[in-house]
Amino acid sequence: MKRKSLLTLSFMCCTIMVLHAQNITVKGRVTDAKTGQPVSYVTITVKGEKAGTFTDDNGFFSLIATPGATLVINDIRFAPLEIKANANMEITVTAVTNELANVTVVGSRNVNRSVINSAVPIDIVNLKAALKTSPQIDLNQALTYLVPSFNSARQSSSDGTEHIDPASLRGLGPDQTLVLINGKRQHTTSLLNNQGTFGNGSVGTDLNAIPAAAIDHIEVLRDGASAQYGSDAIAGVINVVLKENTNGLSAAVTGGITSRGDGATTDVNLNWGNALGKNGGFINVTGELLNRGKTTRTNEQDLIIFDQSALGNYFAYDFTEDPAASRAYDDNMLKTKGLKRSDFNFQIGDAKIMNSSVFYNLSLPSKTGKLEFYSSGGFNFRNGHGFGFRRLPSEYENMVYSIFPNGYQPNTESKIFDGTFLMGLKWQTHNWDFDLSNMFGDNRFDYGVNNTVNASLQDKSPTSFNSGGHKFLQNTLNFDASHYYSNVLKGFNLAFGAEFRYDQYTIHAGEEASWKNYGLVTQGDGTVVDELGLSGGAQSFPGFTPYNAGPHNRNNISLYSDVELNVTDKWLITGAARFENYSDFGATVNGKFATRYEITKGFALRGAVSTGFRAPSLQQQYFSYVSTDLINNKIGQSGFFATNSDVAKFIGIPELKEETSVNASAGFTITPNK
């Protein structure tokens, strides 16, 4: 019996040894086919068996399998892949379009970082797909409906602000959000919002200058990021990623109209992409023409025209008791003078906008893939037609009765040019990634006003004026370097860089008749009297004067560092620091710390704290819009004065300083299934 048991045990051991000898140890590494970087936490199983494992931070894995077995590589970031097992394997995978798993540009300089495993909140909007079903055709309005933390509202009768829509992130000002294109700083507009509208006193970036048809997706970092990206990133960062597709020509036409029969919109766009060479290069070009009609929200029942005198001087009144009778009486009075109600109506609503854009995106990698030349940019032309407030016949000081006997509503015209050009070089050496780039941006805004008068010129007054304008130029030279150390704990990413930026802001004066009061006369004793008592300058938008005009510039140098450390497979910590020195207001240092801890598979807590700053823009420092009038029987100036002007200094207004902030955020991520 004892001998039988020994034979049985020996047989079982031999069987196990034979079976084990038939298995093989499969070792390998998973890398991204596009970037060549290791892909961590990818699940690898043996098809039809329970055996399985996952890749480490460096993409390596090891498991036991039978010869000829099929390995299943599966992860939310990549398309599922099946491959025959062998002893040593090099597996490359290609990313799929997955908003949670896309590698992000903002929030981290680690090429392996995605939305779900980042330490800060990031939204990715697949704009290309969203616009197929969205009724919105300009970028500001599309983001308002797609990103809960983003908001943009159109303004009416607000001079330049009704031609460039201000936008905000997380409820903060338009100038507290940094906009990037393909990861590079985009310039702001030259417009300072100054009409009591949303964003009053601020300068934002004109997102509508970028054709929506040129955009693949948009990354929105909802966290303070001044320590990483510099000024303007207090509320967060919006990174616009342009299309890279090479699938030929596509075209789209979209149209619409409001239920009131106004605000008709037409959008026509063409996108063409083509491969360049055999090394993965491409060029993608987009042209877009967007026409938006005006909207009218005047309530005619609030307008009663009442016959005031034989001169045809009318007042506007609100009525409350019998609208029908009041309207009939009023229409009859107008008819006796050969007039009709529409002669006195006024426009309230969105301005009419014609927007035309051309953008491109280009990449030329080398044969080895370790060197890449890239470029992107484009230009936008915009013509706007807005409306000022109506001047009533009773407003004697604003009237020229020989030209507009029944009053008039001025029209504000805009001619806006916005251009951007990026050129850069990326290369790899000794496992370091380097990026040298230059981004140039230019925004020009010229004003005109029609259907108006300079009352002080009376019969000699023109009805159209060139009111001058402003422009803003920015050039940013940037150098970045990064390296991933796989042998430091569970992975350590180091990034650092430097940036030099030059800004220039210029106001140019309008024609003399657009701003001058010709009724002011200097007497022999040097005193000034107003002989006419009439308003000077073009009504609705007096032009910029020579006093306002002039160029202003500054430069900025910054140094920054960004680190990420995977302390364990579950714990990530990140930090960033940035030093900036401005030629006009001095230096500042800011920092950021963020962390993420995975409590269980698919559930993690994360949080961040940072300091932030925003340098006062040149527009805020030097914008002035001043008119000369007789004030209390003395000649004087009224309007907007720069903080460095004699007037501001006299009344004790200090020079502008940088805005500072502290940002803290906390949250969690959960992936309930694949």
Side-chain angles (χ1 to χ4, degrees):
M1 186 69 180
K2 183 176 181 181
R3 184 179 178 184
K4 185 177 180 181
S5 298
L6 288 172
L7 288 173
T8 302
L9 180 60
S10 299
F11 175 76
M12 292 175 64
C13 290
C14 290
T15 301
I16 292 172
M17 291 176 66
V18 170
L19 291 173
H20 182 72
Q22 292 177 345
N23 292 337
I24 60 172
T25 300
V26 179
K27 295 182 178 181
R29 194 183 195 200
V30 179
T31 57
D32 189 292
K34 185 175 182 180
T35 66
Q37 296 294 322
V39 184
S40 58
Y41 309 116
V42 174
T43 302
I44 301 175
T45 58
V46 179
K47 190 172 184 178
E49 302 179 19
K50 294 182 178 181
T53 186
F54 58 89
T55 59
D56 62 17
D57 286 325
N58 301 313
F60 290 106
F61 70 91
S62 176
L63 54 72
I64 303 296
T66 57
T70 298
L71 299 186
V72 180
I73 296 90
N74 198 12
D75 191 90
I76 63 171
R77 292 167 288 183
F78 306 99
L81 178 66
E82 294 186 3
I83 190 169
K84 292 293 183 182
N86 56 62
N88 293 290
M89 308 183 68
E90 286 292 334
I91 303 171
T92 59
V93 289
T94 303
V96 297
T97 303
N98 185 307
E99 293 183 5
L100 292 179
N102 276 345
V103 173
T104 61
V105 174
V106 297
S108 171
R109 290 185 169 91
N110 185 345
V111 295
N112 298 314
R113 194 63 57 208
S114 68
V115 171
I116 201 69
N117 65 17
S118 68
V120 290
I122 301 172
D123 297 318
I124 291 188
V125 179
N126 187 340
L127 195 68
K128 182 171 58 176
L131 289 179
K132 291 181 180 180
T133 57
S134 171
Q136 307 303 326
I137 57 177
D138 68 59
L139 187 53
N140 268 334
Q141 292 301 305
L143 288 179
T144 296
Y145 287 90
L146 293 171
V147 180
S149 58
F150 181 91
N151 183 64
S152 176
R154 292 173 181 163
Q155 310 291 321
S156 298
S157 300
S158 53
D159 293 346
T161 305
E162 65 178 332
H163 302 270
I164 297 179
D165 300 336
S168 73
L169 191 64
R170 297 203 294 157
L172 297 177
D175 56 2
Q176 293 171 333
T177 298
L178 175 63
V179 176
L180 310 175
I181 296 182
N182 284 351
K184 306 299 180 181
R185 175 183 284 266
Q186 172 74 340
H187 62 279
T188 65
T189 72
S190 59
L191 174 69
L192 177 76
N193 300 300
N194 61 68
Q195 289 295 312
T197 62
F198 171 74
N200 192 40
S202 68
V203 180
T205 299
D206 186 7
L207 286 169
N208 285 340
I210 309 169
I215 300 171
D216 180 80
H217 66 276
I218 294 177
E219 302 169 353
V220 181
L221 169 62
R222 293 180 283 113
D223 197 70
S226 294
Q228 295 168 290
Y229 301 102
S231 181
D232 305 342
I234 286 178
V237 179
I238 296 175
N239 182 38
V240 177
V241 181
L242 301 178
K243 288 180 179 177
E244 300 181 1
N245 61 286
T246 59
N247 52 2
L249 180 67
S250 63
V253 178
T254 305
I257 194 168
T258 73
S259 59
R260 295 195 182 188
D262 59 6
T265 57
T266 304
D267 179 73
V268 180
N269 62 73
L270 298 173
N271 179 263
W272 175 78
N274 194 52
L276 296 178
K278 300 180 180 180
N279 304 319
F282 67 87
I283 183 170
N284 189 278
V285 182
T286 302
E288 185 171 59
L289 182 64
L290 190 158
N291 183 61
R292 189 187 81 199
K294 69 176 183 180
T295 59
T296 300
R297 293 297 175 264
T298 305
N299 187 347
E300 288 194 2
Q301 289 187 340
D302 291 337
L303 183 63
I304 283 293
I305 309 302
F306 187 81
D307 185 12
Q308 179 68 13
S309 70
L311 293 175
N313 196 3
Y314 299 93
F315 282 119
Y317 286 101
D318 290 332
F319 58 87
T320 56
E321 296 184 359
D322 193 346
S326 298
R327 184 181 180 91
Y329 171 80
D330 180 59
D331 288 341
N332 184 61
M333 294 297 296
L334 292 174
K335 186 176 180 180
T336 62
K337 294 184 175 294
L339 301 172
K340 55 185 180 299
R341 178 175 293 271
S342 61
D343 293 329
F344 302 92
N345 282 351
F346 56 92
Q347 164 71 29
I348 296 176
D350 293 340
K352 178 182 179 181
I353 299 291
M354 172 67 78
N355 219 25
S356 56
S357 307
V358 174
F359 257 67
Y360 77 95
N361 194 20
L362 170 73
S363 173
L364 291 172
S366 66
K367 187 175 181 179
T368 63
K370 293 185 178 297
L371 181 67
E372 178 191 4
F373 170 80
Y374 62 91
S375 181
S376 63
F379 58 84
N380 170 267
F381 290 101
R382 184 176 309 162
N383 290 326
H385 183 89
F387 301 88
F389 292 112
R390 184 175 180 85
R391 269 55 176 176
L392 299 174
S394 58
E395 299 171 358
Y396 166 80
E397 67 278 6
N398 299 330
M399 292 298 297
V400 179
Y401 292 108
S402 61
I403 300 176
F404 296 113
N406 302 311
Y408 57 96
Q409 182 172 19
N411 302 330
T412 56
E413 307 286 338
S414 66
K415 292 183 179 179
I416 305 171
F417 169 81
D418 193 282
T420 184
F421 176 69
L422 168 67
M423 182 172 62
L425 195 66
K426 294 180 181 179
W427 69 96
Q428 293 180 339
T429 179
H430 299 96
N431 294 321
W432 278 85
D433 295 310
F434 298 97
D435 188 348
L436 178 65
S437 66
N438 190 86
M439 184 77 151
F440 174 81
D442 184 26
N443 180 271
R444 305 178 187 184
F445 197 128
D446 293 313
Y447 297 86
V449 57
N450 301 321
N451 199 54
T452 188
V453 293
N454 180 334
S456 67
L457 280 171
Q458 284 297 284
D459 296 348
K460 297 179 181 179
S461 174
T463 57
S464 296
F465 300 85
N466 172 8
S467 295
H470 37 68
K471 65 179 180 178
F472 178 68
L473 178 152
Q474 183 175 89
N475 192 80
T476 305
L477 179 65
N478 188 272
F479 172 76
D480 289 305
S482 64
H483 181 63
Y484 183 76
Y485 295 90
S486 58
N487 56 352
V488 177
L489 295 181
K490 293 297 182 177
F492 174 70
N493 194 81
L494 170 65
F496 60 86
E499 184 177 278
F500 176 80
R501 191 165 71 248
Y502 173 80
D503 297 343
Q504 184 184 75
Y505 173 63
T506 304
I507 295 177
H508 56 273
E511 62 178 294
E512 182 183 276
S514 73
W515 54 265
K516 188 172 182 178
N517 188 335
Y518 292 92
L520 302 180
V521 178
T522 303
Q523 304 294 308
D525 59 359
T527 60
V528 179
V529 297
D530 187 349
E531 293 185 337
L532 301 176
L534 300 173
S535 299
Q539 282 295 305
S540 182
F541 194 91
F544 290 100
T545 72
Y547 174 87
N548 309 133
H552 307 278
N553 58 73
R554 73 174 176 199
N555 59 67
N556 155 259
I557 298 175
S558 61
L559 302 172
Y560 50 90
S561 179
D562 195 331
V563 296
E564 291 191 5
L565 175 64
N566 290 294
V567 181
T568 67
D569 292 335
K570 298 176 179 287
W571 186 21
L572 165 71
I573 58 174
T574 74
R578 189 181 190 95
F579 165 81
E580 299 228 10
N581 185 58
Y582 285 80
S583 60
D584 56 350
F585 81 88
T588 181
V589 177
N590 287 272
K592 181 172 184 175
F593 173 81
T595 187
R596 179 182 185 272
Y597 188 80
E598 188 175 23
I599 296 180
T600 62
K601 187 67 175 178
F603 178 76
L605 298 177
R606 64 186 182 185
V609 61
S610 64
T611 60
F613 78 102
R614 195 197 67 79
S617 67
L618 289 177
Q619 295 92 314
Q620 290 174 313
Q621 294 182 73
Y622 297 109
F623 175 81
S624 64
Y625 185 46
V626 178
S627 60
T628 302
D629 296 295
L630 201 65
I631 303 173
N632 295 327
N633 294 321
K634 293 182 179 181
I635 192 71
Q637 292 179 322
S638 61
F640 296 89
F641 293 85
T643 57
N644 66 340
S645 66
D646 293 337
V647 172
K649 292 177 181 178
F650 178 78
I651 59 178
I653 295 177
E655 294 285 337
L656 294 179
K657 297 180 180 180
E658 75 273 21
E659 299 175 24
T660 60
S661 70
V662 176
N663 182 90
S665 64
F668 66 89
T669 65
I670 184 169
T671 310
N673 55 55
K674 297 269 184 193

